[in-house]
Every structure is written in C-alpha cells, then in structure tokens.
Amino acid sequence: MAETVVWGTGRARAVLATTILGSGMAMLDSTIVNVALPRIGAELGASVAGLQWILDGYLLALASLILVAGSLGDRYGRRRVFAFGVLWFGAASLLCGLAPTTELLVVARVLQGVGGALLTPGSLAILQSVFARADRGRAIGAWSGLSGVATAVGPLLGGLLVQAWSWRLAFLINLPVAVACVWLARRHVPESRDEALTGHPNVGESAVGALGLAGVTGALVEAPVRGADPLVVTAAVLGVGCLVAFVVLQRRGRDPLVPPRLFADRTFVLANALTFLVYAALGGVMVLMVLQLQVSLRYPPTAAGLASLPITLIMLALSARSGSLAQRIGPRAQLVAGPILIGAGMLLLRRVVPGADYWTGVLPGLLVFGLGLAAVVAPVTATVLAAAPDRYAGVASGVNNAVARTGSLLAVAVLPAVAGLTGAQYADPTALTEGWRTALLVCAVAAAVGGLLALGTDNGVLKPTPEVPECHSCGVDAPPARVPE
C-alpha cells in the first residue's frame, strides 16, 4: 500500500511540485509550440498540412498510447513510469530542437508524444493514489490550476523564446525541467501500484487503437489537399476498422486496457464526453488564436503570447478554489456553467479581427473564456477519477487524458478544413480571419453542448466515503484519512 500523504505537509507540497512540473512541462510544450508555428512554417517551408502534422504527430502518439501508459503505471509503479516518461520526453525534445526539416520534426514530435503519454496519466494517478481521500479534490484542484497556468503561459514564453533566438528554444527548454522533475520524483514521491494486477499489459490492443487514430487523423488532415484519393480512402477505412476492432477487443477481452465496467458509470461517461468537447474547442481555438494575432493583427510573437496572460491569472487565482468548491457543493453546477462560459468567451473572440483594439476586442473574450476554464477544469478531472474505483486510478486518468488529447487532435485535423484554410492560406490575413470566425462559432457550440451533458452527472460523486474517518495521523496500513487543519 502506498504511503498516505496529507494536505498541508512538506511531503504533500513536494508531491504536488513534482506532478505539476512533469505534467506542466507537457502542457507547456503543447501551447508553446503554437506560438512558434508561424516561424517554424517560414523557416522549414511548411504548408497548413505540415503545421497540422507538427501538432497532430505529438497529439496522435499521446492519445494513442496514454491508455496503455496508465496501465503500465498501475502495474509496475506509477512513480517509476512517470519518471521514465519525463526522461523520454526530455530526450525527444532535444531531437525536436535539432530537427532540420518538417518531416524530421514531425517524427521527433511523435517520439515526444510517447514520452508525454507515459508521464501525463502518472501525474493524476499519483495524486489519486497517495493523497488522503478527503484531500484529493483540493490536491487535484491545485494541480489543475498550476498545470493550467503552464498551458496558459506557454504562448507568452514561446513568444519570448522565439524572439530571443529561435523556435528551437521552445523545445530545448524542456531539458533542464525534465532533470529537475526526475530528481524530485525519486526523492519525494511514494511509489504506488495496483497489487491485484498480474501478467503484462496488452500492448497489441493499444497498437490497434493507435492505428485507428492514426488512420482517421491522416485522412482528415490530408483529405482537403488530396481529395478522395486512394491514400486518403485507405487511411480512413483502416482507421475506422481499427477503432471498431479496438472497441470489440475491450468488450470481449479477459484483460482489457479499458475495463468495460468503467463505462457502466453514467457520471464517468458524461464527464469524459464533456472533456472531449471542451478540449476539442480549446485545442482548436488556442492554435488559431496565436496565428490570428500574429498574421492578421500583426502582433510580434511576444505580444501574441502576452495577450493570453489574463487566462493565466484567472487560472492561477481560481482553479484551486474551484476544486475545493466542487468538493463542498458537488461538481455539477461548475461542469454546466464552465463550458457555457467558455462558449460565450469564444463568441466574444469573434471580434478579434484586423484593426481590433486589445482592450475592447481581445480582452473581454479572454476574461470570460478564462473564467469558464477555471470553473470546469479541476471539477471535471476530479469527477472522472472519483467516478472510477481507486484501483483503476491510472486507467481512469489515462482514459480522461486520451479523451482530452483526442478532442484536441481531431480539432486540429478538422477545423482548418471546416474553416476553409488549406495550403499556405494561414499566411493570408483575409482568409485566416474568415476561417477564425467560423472556427470560433463551431467551437462555441461544442463547448456549450458539453456543459448541457453535465446535467446528467452525479452531484455527490466527490463526497468522501463514510468509512474514511478523520484522525490526527494514520499509518500506512490504515485507510487514508484527513488530518484536521
């Protein structure tokens, strides 16, 4: 049994710092690359499809492997797999920073996604496994808020790095962060695993799922350029066939990657559906916003990154409180209101067009957008984990992360075509602005639908179980309990 960590102790702060640093590195990279895209495209001569693959190569590996990665952590040790993933991510970041062509950068990004898949579910699984149950909502809220800050600060940091030297710094900055994270993990994080699991994880099923996502993504990215040529049709058929096969294997297998019993819980299903829609909307908007600001409004990279600072401040100030509030009153109100606020913020951002003033055109939408994110991110994460049995902490975290990354993956693959952007049109302010406004409308609707789905969730899912007593201290052989403050 893992050592129990209670809120307010030095050990708790160290565990939080480790998980935030690791997951924040991956989240930071996802956004920091967005602001570097115009410079990457100019230096490497990339088309819209090339830029999509630079983003989707990473997301594809991440979404495809995150399920088996969560299972690996449950079986072999969540701290061990997390630390290995951080090291892999750092090494792949070095390859990204040295890549001389678009094709090699895409390959390096795929490898980076493998590392991200190994470390991302480990962060939440560690919190869910080692913190006392009554403290998990607060811990996950702090993790969500500070990790979300890493996501939001990415554009600003990316702009500074790009203007300081090159887009390559957006990747090379991960090297010292990875080293520090592994040191903290080995020194402060208790090891935990599911002792009931035996044998080896089914890597074959993960490969089938990966092929399915790869086929569908490839077809969606290449279809606007190639049309319905044999390569696109083959990729689509292969992708859909593999995804169907993956679902069948999960339902009939004796040791599935995703235990079907997880999806017998309505709250688990609805919270993941909300996650898919919100992160699809978020992923699509964040990619296009930095392009719109730089190309259409002529912001330099640093100013384009600085523009999203209000989101950072809101997430920093409110996310941990949002997690605590959901623990007290139940998550449903925030799961409904948060996505609707996100959608409203996106509609306000449709005023971000050439000639728009920052204070009246950009800032109002960002403020509403940030309030929505702060309201929903911590509660939806805590809800998904609480709706699953503790022994499936790694798998549940993996499912939720896979759903979020798949949402972003498909948004990046589909939105440019929906918005009418192909070839080098991302460099044309007129075409980009028209596509930007169309994409925002689509994403706003998706976010609002996610909020409506949350009406069906169990509002009592975050309440501590009655068998967990309050005590001043509990040994490792006793149930986790809350230490009074």
Side-chain angles (χ1 to χ4, degrees), residues 234-262:
T234 300
V237 172
L238 176 66
V240 172
C242 286
L243 289 178
V244 171
F246 179 78
V247 173
V248 172
L249 288 171
Q250 299 311 293
R251 292 179 61 87
R252 298 183 178 178
R254 287 185 297 179
D255 190 18
L257 278 173
V258 184
R261 63 173 292 190
L262 287 176

Side-chain angles (χ1 to χ4, degrees), residues 82-107:
F82 172 80
F84 182 77
V86 171
L87 287 175
W88 182 295
F89 191 92
S93 296
L94 176 61
L95 296 179
C96 290
L98 300 177
T101 65
T102 301
E103 293 76 15
L104 289 177
L105 179 56
V106 170
V107 171

Side-chain angles (χ1 to χ4, degrees), residues 8 14 28 58 92 119 151 153 173 178 234 241 246 254 309 327 383 401 403 444:
L28 180 67
Y58 174 82
L119 73 90
T151 304
V153 81
I173 194 176
T234 300
F246 179 78
R254 287 185 297 179
L309 183 61
Q327 187 96 37
T383 297
N401 275 280
V403 167

Side-chain angles (χ1 to χ4, degrees), residues 80-164:
R80 178 184 300 175
V81 173
F82 172 80
F84 182 77
V86 171
L87 287 175
W88 182 295
F89 191 92
S93 296
L94 176 61
L95 296 179
C96 290
L98 300 177
T101 65
T102 301
E103 293 76 15
L104 289 177
L105 179 56
V106 170
V107 171
R109 286 282 282 166
V110 171
L111 293 174
Q112 196 182 38
V114 174
L118 291 170
L119 73 90
T120 300
S123 299
L124 279 172
I126 287 170
L127 297 180
Q128 186 75 358
S129 300
V130 305
F131 269 92
R133 184 176 182 88
D135 291 327
R136 290 173 188 172
R138 185 182 295 180
I140 292 172
W143 175 89
S144 299
L146 294 174
S147 297
V149 167
T151 304
V153 81
L156 171 59
L157 183 58
L160 291 171
L161 295 175
V162 168
Q163 287 193 208

Side-chain angles (χ1 to χ4, degrees), residues 1 23 120 171 189 231 243 281 287 300 328 352 375 451 472 476 485:
M1 182 180 293
S23 58
T120 300
F171 299 105
V189 177
L231 179 63
L243 289 178
V287 170
R328 291 198 307 272
V352 180
H472 289 279
V476 295
E485 299 177 6

Side-chain angles (χ1 to χ4, degrees), residues 95 103 134 181 186 200 222 232 248 280 300 319 322 345 375 377 420 458:
L95 296 179
E103 293 76 15
C181 184
R186 292 180 62 85
H200 301 285
E222 297 296 333
V232 172
V248 172
S319 285
S322 178
V377 169
D458 176 9

Side-chain angles (χ1 to χ4, degrees), residues 212-242:
L213 278 178
V216 171
T217 302
L220 291 173
V221 171
E222 297 296 333
V225 179
R226 295 175 175 269
D229 71 357
L231 179 63
V232 172
V233 173
T234 300
V237 172
L238 176 66
V240 172
C242 286

Side-chain angles (χ1 to χ4, degrees), residues 180-200:
C181 184
V182 171
W183 181 83
L184 283 171
R186 292 180 62 85
R187 185 175 178 85
H188 297 291
V189 177
E191 184 60 281
S192 63
R193 60 173 55 85
D194 183 354
E195 303 293 347
L197 288 176
T198 59
H200 301 285

